[in-house]
Amino acid sequence: MSAAAQKKYDTGISDTEIKIGNIMPYSGPASAYGIIGKTMSAYMRMINDNGGVNGRKINSFPMTTPTARRKRSSRPAGWSRATRCF
């Protein structure tokens, strides 16, 4: 197969799946905004139930935001590398 004919996707995308990371405040003082992330997950389930996006299923990786005691910048970067999503 020639190099031009090979499919190359960004991290988190394949022929069958799209991985999406979701960082929301599911706990703590701002947890009222977590409903946004829950709504997004429900919408992605509906898309998957109807065949996905061009036949690809959406795989969501929800994560709560770190508390004020932790460094915000280090945790999401490692998390996105570990889950191989964008």
Side-chain angles (χ1 to χ4, degrees), residues 2-4 12 27 34-35 43 45 50 67-68 70 72 75 78-80:
S2 71
S27 62
I35 191 69
Y43 185 72
R45 275 193 304 277
N50 289 304
T67 62
R70 298 183 185 172
R72 183 181 175 111
R75 191 170 175 187
W79 168 75
S80 65

Side-chain angles (χ1 to χ4, degrees), residues 1-61:
M1 182 180 284
S2 71
Q6 292 179 356
K7 294 181 182 177
K8 175 124 174 96
Y9 301 113
D10 285 332
T11 301
I13 301 175
S14 71
D15 287 333
T16 59
E17 163 180 72
I18 300 170
K19 295 180 181 180
I20 299 176
N22 175 359
I23 301 174
M24 289 283 169
Y26 294 108
S27 62
S31 62
Y33 295 104
I35 191 69
I36 297 168
K38 292 176 184 178
T39 303
M40 289 170 54
S41 293
Y43 185 72
M44 289 180 204
R45 275 193 304 277
M46 184 206 57
I47 291 171
N48 287 339
D49 291 345
N50 289 304
V53 177
N54 292 330
R56 295 178 178 141
K57 298 293 181 177
I58 299 174
N59 193 353
S60 176
F61 293 91

